[in-house]
């Protein structure tokens, strides 16, 4: 059985819990969270979120990419969010990762995408750069409440960069 088949069966058995009749697609807490896709980050208990509270965006690194800005722009301009929280973490796979090597691997398979993998040398510096990019992005009409945290998967602590 594939994961997809397992997942479909699981969802079918839990449809009653999954249904959200009447829940608004507009985030109740008017916040969007951008986080790394890392398996150890469980955003709901970490941030005290419940379904319906927030938009959750995840990518490799929790990086402020063009596509993250696209989604945050839709979140603010169409769905009422006014605040952004970015979560990066210690032990990220992008820490010390080589963009050139990754691009070389892609090119060897005939892929020359416009994006870079986004490796970084210092997670706190990378987070500060991401926050600075958000604060200077006119795609986002609300830029006065943009925050970021670094999560330590070993201790469970969140810290400011
Ligand atoms: Zn990560």
């Amino acid at each position: 059985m594939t994961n997809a088949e397992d997942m479909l069966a699981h969802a079918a058995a839990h449809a009653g819990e999954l249904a959200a009749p009447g829940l608004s697609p507009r985030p109740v807490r008017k916040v969007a969270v951008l986080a790394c896709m890392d398996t150890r980050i469980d955003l709901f208990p970490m941030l005290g979120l419940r379904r319906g509270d927030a938009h959750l965006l995840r990518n490799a690194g929790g990086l402020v990419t063009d596509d993250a800005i696209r989604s945050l722009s839709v979140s603010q301009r169409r769905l009422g969010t006014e605040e952004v929280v970015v979560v990066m973490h210690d032990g990220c796979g992008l820490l010390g990762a080589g963009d050139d090597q990754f691009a070389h691997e892609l090119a060897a398979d005939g892929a020359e995408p416009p994006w870079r993998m986004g490796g970084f040398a210092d997670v706190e510096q990378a987070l500060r750069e991401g926050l600075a990019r958000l604060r200077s992005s006119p795609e986002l009409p609300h830029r006065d409440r943009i925050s970021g945290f670094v999560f330590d998967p070993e201790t469970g602590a969140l810290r400011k960069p």
Side-chain angles (χ1 to χ4, degrees):
M1 206 175 191
T2 63
N3 273 294
E5 290 166 334
D6 270 346
M7 290 167 178
L8 186 63
H10 179 88
H14 296 82
E17 303 156 44
L18 296 171
L23 186 62
S24 172
R26 299 172 70 85
V28 170
R29 291 174 62 174
K30 298 186 177 185
V31 61
V33 178
L34 168 63
C36 184
M37 66 187 187
D38 191 279
T39 57
R40 297 164 291 183
I41 296 175
D42 191 350
L43 290 170
F44 285 92
M46 175 189 290
L47 302 177
L49 294 172
R50 298 191 307 173
R51 184 159 57 150
D53 279 350
H55 280 145
L56 305 182
L57 289 59
R58 302 191 70 165
N59 66 25
L63 299 181
V64 179
T65 60
D66 287 350
D67 194 62
I69 289 175
R70 179 186 70 87
S71 293
L72 292 170
S73 182
V74 172
S75 178
Q76 291 199 354
R77 292 177 181 273
R78 291 291 180 270
L79 292 160
T81 65
E82 299 174 351
E83 181 170 0
V84 182
V85 174
V86 181
V87 178
M88 296 178 71
H89 67 101
D90 292 325
C92 187
L94 290 185
L95 182 66
D99 279 14
D100 289 344
Q101 171 62 26
F102 199 74
H104 182 76
E105 287 177 33
L106 289 167
D109 288 333
E112 295 184 6
W115 44 262
R116 303 273 286 171
M117 180 175 62
F120 49 81
D122 179 326
V123 65
E124 303 198 355
Q125 176 63 21
L127 178 52
R128 286 192 293 268
E129 289 173 5
L131 297 175
R133 182 173 177 191
L134 289 174
R135 291 180 183 125
S136 63
S137 295
E139 293 90 335
L140 309 181
H142 303 284
R143 284 174 281 161
D144 56 331
R145 282 180 285 153
I146 292 175
S147 310
F149 305 112
V150 176
F151 174 64
D152 179 348
E154 301 304 315
T155 66
L158 276 188
R159 65 179 185 273
K160 293 182 179 178

